Amino acid sequence: SEMLAAPLYHDETRDLKSCARAISSFGKATHWQWALRTLAAAQAADLQPDVVAHSAAIGACARAGQWRHALGLLAAMRTSDVMPNVITINAAISACEKGEQWQQALGLL
């Protein structure tokens, strides 16, 4: 599956909407690593991923139980010009829930 994801990953970082769609698709397919790589590639290409792209990446981490990565992305958003929204926070809380990190989850409320 990684071999199939690689061409899509490189092709889908051309514009922000394609990037967000790719991140969301990778997340739904439980390829959270590819979701994070796509987000990083978009940032490296100066596409300036928005709250939708970040929320999709955090959601991908949540589905995979990767709470540390989800909280790391949330922290990075807060230090950039991208403001988290309700969807972003809910995805981060979901990641904490899957990782049984209730204190972290409560801290996001």
Side-chain angles (χ1 to χ4, degrees), residues 41-57:
Q43 291 167 328
D46 289 327
L47 290 179
Q48 300 175 341
D50 59 7
V51 67
V52 173
H54 280 86
S55 295

Side-chain angles (χ1 to χ4, degrees), residues 26-82:
F26 287 136
K28 289 176 184 172
T30 65
H31 294 297
W32 64 273
Q33 299 98 329
W34 280 106
L36 296 185
R37 288 177 187 152
T38 304
L39 182 66
Q43 291 167 328
D46 289 327
L47 290 179
Q48 300 175 341
D50 59 7
V51 67
V52 173
H54 280 86
S55 295
I58 292 172
C61 292
R63 281 186 283 287
Q66 297 293 321
W67 65 273
R68 284 187 179 96
H69 288 288
L71 293 183
L73 287 172
L74 184 61
M77 283 179 73
R78 288 183 168 155
T79 61
S80 70
D81 291 334
V82 182

